[in-house]
Amino acid sequence: MAQKPSLPKGTRDFGPAQMLKRDYILNTIRSVFKKYGFMPLETPAIENLSVLTGKYGDEGDQLLFRILNSGDFLKKTSAGDFEEGAKALSPKIAEKGLKYDLTVPFARYVVMNRGEITFPFKRYQIQPVWRADRPQKGRYREFYQCDADVVGTDSLICEAELMAIVNEVYTQLNFNDYKVSISSRKVLEGLAALCEVSDKFTAFCVILDKLDKIGEERVAEELSTIGVSSQNLEKLKELLNTTGSNQEKLDTFREAFANSEVGLAGLDELSETFEHLKSLKITTDQIIFDPTLARGLSYYTGIIYEVKPTSISMGTITAGGRYDNLTGVFGMEGVSGVGISFGIDRIYDSLEELNLFPETNSDITQILITNFDKESEAHALGILAKLRSKNIKAEIFPEAAKLKKQLNYANNKGIAHVLMVGSREIESGEYVLKNMETGDQQTATIDALANLLS
């Protein structure tokens, strides 16, 4: 007996019904990207591991899918490599990997094509990425990202425009139950300095980022293990629990950062971004200054942000930030960038759970033409060509069959109308159009029906 087929964990098939919904999301995001002046780009699924490793922190490196070298991939190894373990063995048997995100490959592209790029360079990219993560709700091993990035400018107008894109995308998707958390890695540096652990900044960020997962008490315990004193823990706790408007919280932090140049710079950048948003007529009610936001990726250097639903249990659905040094690791210094990424799979799951997908989809076939015999089939094909010439989404039932079978086909596919083509209709030149939702029928010429459907 043949083995029952299955999918790798963390991956999914998408049938036509799911793809129509995914296309609805993708087309919405793509149209907004284009509206804001971003141009399309694609990079390969496979990258050299030398491009990928060291860009996402130790945890990210462990989640890279590595691809075994072709042929005899063990020929460069020795018994000693096996004894030393994976770190010694991996570079000799795998030189390539599946891309973890779209930003690092984008930075690699910019460096390789710098002579042909006009800066500032605005690109959008919609492609799958892969992470060897533990699959769970809203987290997959293969998933799509929709990225928009600007490189070659330090202007904070870019941050404000990316926030405007978030607002417009979710408005078009009729999805209003979300909040945007915004902060800055410079604010985090100010907090680390306040806690006297600037030399352990990365560890400090990793621990602080766990606050909403493990709670204040556990975070305090972990911070104490890296050298944060009880006195500084109290200062940090009081600061992080600051309430009020964004401006009030920024003012409170400004007092605390009186001796931190980098912390004050982060607060200035946030204030300027909020001013730009005001000028762009973007409401900031859903944009919240959250100093605990750390973001897991180590390449961020300035403002960072993430979007989460508020009415359902779901992880981050959109995120991004400023990265000043990413192209530097590929030998191109002094090129600042900022970007945002929409997580299609989590957005899909959120819209599905909240029942926010439109009931009708413009990509579905508008009309099915019946097929009863050879004579009606030939005539129907001519009608089919005429309807399609008017950009009407039409199809013919591909073989002669009873009307009930053809109507069931239309119902199952969600086709709104069925056009009856039989000997009587061919003779009179007037055809019966059946509305599959209401059951109503009307008779008209093909030109009149085409105008109606258009």
Side-chain angles (χ1 to χ4, degrees):
M1 181 182 292
Q3 184 178 0
K4 185 178 179 181
S6 63
L7 282 171
K9 288 183 179 179
T11 66
R12 296 174 293 171
D13 285 326
F14 297 103
Q18 289 80 27
M19 282 306 303
L20 286 170
K21 292 178 178 179
R22 286 172 69 84
D23 283 346
Y24 163 69
I25 299 171
L26 291 168
N27 292 337
T28 298
I29 294 172
R30 186 182 286 109
S31 68
V32 175
F33 285 166
K34 289 180 178 179
K35 184 176 179 180
Y36 281 71
F38 291 84
M39 300 294 287
L41 179 73
E42 282 196 2
T43 55
I46 300 170
E47 293 279 352
N48 291 321
L49 285 172
S50 59
V51 168
L52 300 175
T53 52
K55 314 303 186 302
Y56 309 105
D58 291 340
E59 184 180 351
D61 283 353
Q62 292 174 21
L63 299 181
L64 289 172
F65 273 110
R66 289 163 167 79
I67 300 172
L68 290 174
N69 296 336
S70 57
D72 183 5
F73 56 84
L74 293 175
K75 65 183 177 183
K76 295 181 181 179
T77 64
S78 64
D81 294 326
F82 285 86
E83 292 173 6
E84 289 184 46
K87 282 195 173 180
L89 187 62
S90 180
K92 295 188 176 182
I93 64 174
E95 297 170 354
K96 300 174 182 65
L98 296 176
K99 60 189 175 192
Y100 179 93
D101 75 346
L102 300 179
T103 307
V104 169
F106 171 55
R108 189 262 312 148
Y109 173 87
V110 170
V111 172
M112 291 182 64
N113 296 274
R114 67 185 98 179
E116 302 171 12
I117 291 174
T118 299
F119 292 101
F121 181 43
K122 302 175 73 172
R123 84 83 170 84
Y124 76 84
Q125 197 168 343
I126 301 176
Q127 287 185 268
V129 298
W130 295 266
R131 297 182 186 178
D133 215 339
R134 183 171 64 87
Q136 52 188 288
K137 180 183 178 182
R139 179 170 292 179
Y140 305 97
R141 287 177 171 167
E142 179 187 55
F143 56 97
Y144 265 75
Q145 286 186 338
C146 296
D147 283 17
D149 288 79
V150 188
V151 295
T153 176
D154 300 320
S155 173
L156 294 169
I157 289 176
C158 300
E159 274 83 348
E161 287 217 300
L162 293 176
M163 292 298 96
I165 284 174
V166 168
N167 178 276
E168 186 154 351
V169 164
Y170 287 118
T171 296
Q172 289 195 25
L173 293 175
N174 296 311
F175 180 43
N176 300 310
D177 298 341
Y178 68 88
K179 73 169 184 176
V180 182
S181 298
I182 187 169
S183 188
S184 170
R185 289 298 286 251
K186 295 174 183 176
V187 169
L188 290 167
E189 288 183 46
L191 289 174
L194 197 68
C195 293
E196 301 178 275
V197 288
S198 294
D199 59 329
K200 298 174 182 174
F201 177 65
T202 300
F204 176 81
C205 290
V206 169
I207 296 170
L208 200 61
D209 201 35
K210 298 177 183 178
L211 189 61
D212 61 346
K213 302 179 185 72
I214 64 176
E216 197 173 89
E217 189 174 328
R218 289 275 306 280
V219 164
E221 289 175 7
E222 293 195 20
L223 286 174
S224 65
T225 64
I226 65 168
V228 181
S229 67
S230 57
Q231 183 180 358
N232 285 334
L233 281 172
E234 283 302 314
K235 285 184 189 176
L236 181 65
K237 179 180 177 181
E238 183 179 350
L239 199 53
L240 295 183
N241 287 324
T242 301
T243 58
S245 67
N246 287 328
Q247 189 58 56
E248 288 169 338
K249 287 192 282 187
L250 289 172
D251 290 342
T252 300
F253 271 74
R254 197 173 294 281
E255 290 179 19
F257 287 171
N259 297 318
S260 172
E261 185 177 342
V262 66
L264 290 173
L267 296 175
D268 288 341
E269 290 176 358
L270 287 165
S271 294
E272 185 177 339
T273 299
F274 280 121
E275 285 301 314
H276 287 323
L277 285 167
K278 189 185 298 184
S279 298
L280 287 168
K281 312 300 182 187
I282 302 298
T283 176
T284 58
D285 294 346
Q286 291 167 290
I287 305 176
I288 311 298
F289 170 46
D290 179 4
T292 67
L293 180 65
R295 299 290 301 136
L297 302 180
S298 60
Y299 52 67
Y300 290 126
T301 56
I303 287 180
I304 49 178
Y305 32 80
E306 67 179 21
V307 182
K308 288 184 178 180
T310 55
S311 58
I312 58 174
S313 177
M314 181 65 68
T316 302
I317 56 176
T318 303
R322 168 74 61 173
Y323 45 90
D324 286 333
N325 303 319
L326 197 57
T327 56
V329 301
F330 299 124
M332 187 177 176
E333 302 288 346
V335 180
S336 183
V338 61
I340 197 164
S341 180
F342 289 82
I344 285 300
D345 300 272
R346 287 185 178 181
I347 294 173
Y348 179 101
D349 291 347
S350 297
L351 297 184
E352 188 78 0
E353 187 169 343
L354 294 169
N355 196 30
L356 292 177
F357 283 107
E359 291 184 10
T360 58
N361 192 298
S362 61
D363 290 333
I364 294 176
T365 301
Q366 295 169 261
I367 185 169
L368 172 71
I369 303 175
T370 59
N371 184 349
F372 296 119
D373 50 41
K374 284 295 180 183
E375 181 189 4
S376 64
E377 179 183 277
H379 191 80
L381 286 172
I383 295 173
L384 183 67
K386 188 167 188 177
L387 292 177
R388 286 175 176 168
S389 71
K390 297 180 180 292
N391 293 320
I392 294 169
K393 299 178 182 68
E395 61 179 283
I396 184 173
F397 199 79
E399 57 192 37
K402 292 184 178 180
L403 179 60
K404 183 179 179 180
K405 182 177 181 179
Q406 299 185 58
L407 294 178
N408 285 340
Y409 174 82
N411 267 328
N412 291 336
K413 285 196 68 175
I415 299 173
H417 298 91
V418 173
L419 185 68
M420 311 293 181
V421 178
S423 56
R424 184 171 55 188
E425 286 81 10
I426 294 172
E427 185 176 341
S428 67
E430 292 196 337
Y431 305 85
V432 175
L433 184 72
K434 182 179 179 68
N435 185 309
M436 295 302 293
E437 184 176 353
T438 64
D440 295 340
Q441 296 185 169
Q442 62 186 103
T443 302
T445 64
I446 291 301
D447 286 336
L449 291 173
N451 291 333
L452 174 69
L453 292 170
S454 295

